[in-house]
Amino acid sequence: MELKQLRYFMALVKYEHVSKTADFLNIAQPTLSKSLHTLERELGTPLFDRIGNRIRLNANGRRFREYAEKSLQYLDAGILDVKNTIYDITDRITVDCWCFAPIIWPCVAEYQRLNPLTEFMLLQSSLGQMGSLSDHEADFILRSSANEDAVSDSSSGQFWVSQTLFEEQMFLVMGPAFPAFNDLPVDTDTIDLSLLQDAPFITMRVNTAFINDITYQICQNAGFWPRILFQTDDFLLKMHIVRSGSAVAILPNACLDDARMLCPGLKILKIKNYESFRRIRLLRKRKMLLTEAAQDFWNFVLDYYNLPADERD
């Protein structure tokens, strides 16, 4: 008895029709019929009753189906278990996110798919939770910046290696309830930011030790200092305020899908005469301080974002 005979048999049970089952299995009908006849001959009894063009399990077939189904379930479970041992790294990896955590989630999800025994703690930190680099026990820190500044903490002797993952463009977002929304041309995708010099903005809370909200830099380039109506590190609150029409905001590309869901009709505008980008960076501890799982994840991240191998300590 061959494994494919059992799989063919279970498909016949489902479709109760030889030609339809053959089409589903992408095999010739005579091949399927021969497989069934061989199986019935080996068991010494018919498994189906023929009713016109259809087939239906008889008493012997129903009895055999129960065991065939369990056998295939056990076999498939064994195959999956063996495949999982290929990726047998087990540990917990902690990523402390000093910017929008969903940015790194697709990479984490793909790694977990390949390494199902590895646990992740993906922490969304607010400004008040960040502290200094020397205070962090996380394996990695995800952060963003408008410049490529070096990241180290000389006070503790703990050196963090920084790797830029990608750059992304910043956009101005405006909710349909904002007073100037209806003044925008329907088909426009850019805006002269100087036209909003009197508009209220919402930004992250400002702390120059960690965050320099790029909103200030972009507005200064347009010739004005933004009038800040709200400051918050909570993305959900920020989008609630944008949806209410109380303020506008500048968001990175990584946040736009979630922003659209939270604010239907959101207008997303490129900033005219200014190419505004930010860098998304992942920081790691020195390799000698990384666990096997953390080191493996770091290498995976580099491959995921098509970055060169990291030879630094």
Side-chain angles (χ1 to χ4, degrees), residues 173-188:
V173 296
M174 182 185 297
F178 191 75
F181 185 90
N182 292 326
D183 296 334
L184 297 172
V186 175
D187 58 348
T188 188

Side-chain angles (χ1 to χ4, degrees), residues 38-291:
T38 301
L39 178 63
E40 289 180 325
R41 185 169 60 250
E42 184 174 347
L43 293 174
T45 181
L47 300 174
F48 293 90
D49 292 330
R50 277 65 178 177
I51 306 173
N53 293 328
R54 303 189 65 86
I55 57 175
R56 186 165 299 168
L57 279 176
N58 57 30
N60 291 328
R62 288 191 294 273
R63 189 177 297 110
F64 181 70
R65 177 187 61 183
E66 181 180 346
Y67 292 99
E69 190 171 27
K70 289 180 180 179
S71 298
L72 289 174
Q73 288 174 349
Y74 280 122
L75 180 61
D76 289 339
I79 293 172
L80 180 61
D81 185 60
V82 170
K83 286 185 176 181
N84 283 342
T85 61
I86 300 173
Y87 307 102
D88 59 355
I89 295 177
T90 59
D91 209 335
R92 174 177 291 177
I93 297 174
T94 304
V95 183
D96 198 359
C97 300
W98 292 8
C99 58
F100 196 49
I103 292 172
I104 196 71
W105 170 245
C107 177
V108 170
E110 180 62 16
Y111 183 83
Q112 277 199 311
R113 186 184 70 81
L114 297 173
N115 299 271
L117 300 181
T118 301
E119 296 181 7
F120 271 85
M121 290 185 65
L122 197 61
L123 309 175
Q124 179 68 75
S125 294
S126 64
L127 186 61
Q129 297 172 319
M130 289 178 182
S132 67
L133 286 174
S134 60
D135 297 330
H136 275 73
E137 298 182 357
D139 299 299
F140 304 97
I141 296 175
L142 183 73
R143 65 182 299 181
S144 65
S145 67
N147 50 46
E148 193 63 39
D149 55 311
V151 180
S152 63
D153 190 349
S154 57
S155 64
S156 67
Q158 175 70 52
F159 182 73
W160 287 78
V161 177
S162 175
Q163 174 65 58
T164 298
L165 303 182
F166 59 89
E167 289 187 343
E168 60 177 352
Q169 191 166 1
M170 308 294 293
F171 297 84
L172 182 117
V173 296
M174 182 185 297
F178 191 75
F181 185 90
N182 292 326
D183 296 334
L184 297 172
V186 175
D187 58 348
T188 188
D189 62 354
T190 62
I191 189 167
D192 183 347
L193 205 59
S194 64
L195 298 176
L196 296 177
Q197 58 184 322
D198 295 323
F201 280 77
I202 178 171
T203 68
M204 297 182 70
R205 288 191 292 165
V206 177
N207 180 321
T208 55
F210 298 106
I211 296 175
N212 180 16
D213 193 313
I214 198 172
T215 300
Y216 296 90
Q217 178 180 324
I218 295 173
C219 290
Q220 281 185 292
N221 183 77
F224 67 95
W225 186 257
R227 182 164 70 91
I228 307 302
L229 186 62
F230 296 98
Q231 290 186 0
T232 180
D233 302 330
D234 188 325
F235 180 74
L236 183 61
L237 176 58
K238 176 181 286 190
M239 292 313 305
H240 177 79
I241 294 170
V242 169
R243 187 174 67 236
S244 74
S246 300
V248 295
I250 292 177
L251 296 179
N253 185 67
C255 297
L256 296 183
D257 286 343
D258 293 277
R260 290 187 185 97
M261 288 190 295
L262 294 169
C263 182
L266 184 72
K267 197 74 172 179
I268 299 172
L269 302 164
K270 295 179 182 178
I271 298 168
K272 192 176 181 179
N273 300 324
Y274 187 66
E275 291 295 322
S276 54
F277 292 88
R278 73 168 185 173
R279 294 181 177 90
I280 299 299
R281 298 182 295 154
L282 190 65
L283 282 61
R284 66 160 173 83
K285 292 180 178 178
R286 296 174 60 182
K287 288 184 178 178
M288 62 182 294
L289 300 175
L290 292 176
T291 64

